[in-house]
Amino acid sequence: MTSFTPPIHGNNRHLPFGDQQDSAFYGRDILSVSQFDREQLTYIFDVAHEMYEMVARVGSFDLLKGKILANLFYEPSTRTSSSFTSAMERLGGSVIPINNVSYSSVTKGESLPDTVRTLEAYADVIVLRHPEVGSSALAAKYARKPVINAGDGVGEHPTQALLDLFTIREELKRVDGLTVTMMGDLRYGRTVHSLARLLTLYDVRLNYVSPDVLAMPREIMTEIEESGIPQASFTSLEPVLAETDVLYVTRVQKERLEDPNIHESLKGAYGVTTETLLRAKDKMIVMHPLPRVWEIEMAVDDDPRAAYFRQMEYGLYIRMALLAMVLGKA
Ligand code: CP
């Protein structure tokens, strides 16, 4: 197995890449943001930053040579699926891609536990996206190899929340003291559920902007309240735009709406335009987990505050860090 220690730039911490099987992350599942403390997040972000510098310097390196990832997606994905593939391949490993389960034995009625037990016979780590809340936890119960939750229905998307937080840290150089405004579909948007929970580890203010029908779920608001983080809900962006440091916009998930007609009625009311940015801070960043549909007009892409394409790229470095960590190499 190749062991590689890169030169360190940009921080004072030595982050060796190589056998780290006594690490707290070795062999662990990544199922929920609630499993992390702030010290662990700092470590993940430092490793991700090293990955960022390594990719810029050498592109790919053989940290995970010989390791295999099973990428098991029961729901569509572009970014999560391809960034995990890219992460594994940039680290010298390889991937079993099951991006369309209709071509797998799932269509013959194979259960999730049996599918996972099959794949772990061939792979060292399993990345799973599934429409049901709790599916990753169920898979992890049956798997001996690490399972990484790549989105479980309207539940969580922990690797997205990690890359979101990494984006804020890289772009604004801090998280404490910021006002984060989440806008759009806060009811079904698993990315905002995970990010709001993760932000309770920091000293932030949270604003929620949505129509009542797509409001942040009560149980998540209760968790945030118990953490002592100030939060407030609005039906329009206007009252909070000027104070916002991070505007996190989400897609209205038409596929999860009980009444798809609601989708049409929301267009325009919860979108970001160049005119919106006129009233925002110069240093505010606009984030979006993507894909976007109508929530951010394309003219906004040219504004330096549009961070969503950089955010998507940061996902590669976070996923490289997580794969290296759970496989005992960082
Ligand atoms: N952000 C995100 O999860 O994108 P995909 O659905 O394309 O993976």
Side-chain angles (χ1 to χ4, degrees):
M1 191 73 59
T2 306
S3 175
F4 187 83
T5 304
I8 302 299
H9 298 275
N11 65 36
N12 296 323
R13 195 129 163 234
H14 185 69
L15 295 167
F17 291 138
D19 287 317
Q20 299 291 322
Q21 297 183 350
D22 54 351
S23 146
F25 293 97
Y26 173 57
R28 289 272 304 277
D29 304 307
I30 307 289
L31 301 179
S32 165
V33 291
S34 57
Q35 71 190 78
F36 301 113
D37 62 28
R38 194 163 157 159
E39 192 184 345
Q40 290 171 329
L41 293 178
T42 301
Y43 185 76
I44 294 169
F45 297 149
D46 286 348
V47 175
H49 190 85
E50 288 297 317
M51 294 296 183
Y52 168 70
E53 295 198 333
M54 287 299 295
V55 170
R57 206 176 316 130
V58 298
S60 302
F61 52 110
D62 281 347
L63 189 66
L64 297 182
K65 188 173 167 61
K67 297 290 184 188
I68 299 175
L69 159 69
N71 225 13
L72 177 59
F73 280 68
Y74 287 73
E75 281 191 328
S77 168
T78 300
R79 277 145 293 273
T80 313
S81 169
S82 52
S83 63
F84 266 114
T85 299
S86 175
M88 197 62 181
E89 293 188 355
R90 283 196 182 277
L91 291 170
S94 52
V95 181
I96 301 171
I98 305 186
N99 293 331
N100 185 342
V101 289
S102 61
Y103 294 120
S104 76
S105 287
V106 169
T107 52
K108 300 176 203 163
E110 188 159 51
S111 67
L112 179 62
D114 283 3
T115 303
V116 162
R117 281 188 286 217
T118 302
L119 288 173
E120 73 170 356
Y122 311 136
D124 301 289
V125 55
I126 297 168
V127 168
L128 173 66
R129 173 171 289 186
H130 194 281
E132 283 167 30
V133 176
S135 49
S136 290
L138 176 70
K141 208 170 119 184
Y142 288 91
R144 288 167 291 118
K145 308 274 175 71
V147 172
I148 300 179
N149 181 359
D152 60 337
V154 298
E156 283 215 42
H157 194 349
T159 68
Q160 177 73 43
L162 292 171
L163 80 88
D164 291 341
L165 199 48
F166 184 58
T167 301
I168 295 171
R169 201 182 92 136
E170 292 287 311
E171 296 274 323
L172 299 178
K173 309 300 175 205
R174 68 189 171 110
V175 179
D176 287 323
L178 297 179
T179 296
V180 179
T181 298
M182 300 177 175
M183 180 168 80
D185 181 353
L186 308 183
R187 179 176 175 189
Y188 297 109
R190 58 193 171 199
T191 65
V192 286
H193 301 166
S194 287
L195 182 59
R197 287 180 167 127
L198 204 52
L199 284 168
T200 61
L201 296 174
Y202 296 83
D203 176 20
V204 296
R205 299 185 70 81
L206 292 177
N207 295 319
Y208 311 129
V209 177
S210 72
D212 290 339
V213 70
L214 295 177
M216 187 63 94
R218 176 48 43 199
E219 65 270 20
I220 294 177
M221 290 191 69
T222 303
E223 276 182 47
I224 307 298
E225 194 179 331
E226 285 168 358
S227 76
I229 294 295
Q231 59 181 344
S233 298
F234 303 86
T235 53
S236 155
L237 179 60
E238 277 314 311
V240 290
L241 177 57
E243 71 184 47
T244 295
D245 299 296
V246 177
L247 177 57
Y248 193 102
V249 187
T250 68
R251 179 175 67 92
V252 175
Q253 299 191 40
K254 203 173 173 179
E255 68 274 23
R256 299 194 202 278
L257 290 176
E258 282 153 28
D259 176 4
N261 294 325
I262 295 171
H263 181 255
E264 290 306 309
S265 70
L266 298 175
K267 278 187 184 171
Y270 297 95
V272 177
T273 65
T274 50
E275 205 266 333
T276 312
L277 295 184
L278 294 175
R279 300 187 304 287
K281 287 184 182 179
D282 290 344
K283 296 285 182 200
M284 186 188 83
I285 55 170
V286 182
M287 296 176 64
H288 191 306
L290 303 176
R292 74 170 153 191
V293 188
W294 48 261
E295 312 83 57
I296 303 175
E297 71 171 6
M298 285 185 74
V300 172
D301 301 356
D302 298 328
D303 191 296
R305 289 171 286 187
Y308 31 92
F309 292 121
R310 299 190 293 276
Q311 174 187 357
M312 176 186 70
E313 183 183 331
Y314 290 130
L316 169 65
Y317 312 121
I318 283 290
R319 288 167 178 142
M320 289 174 78
L322 291 174
L323 289 173
M325 291 161 72
V326 302
L327 291 171
K329 292 290 180 179

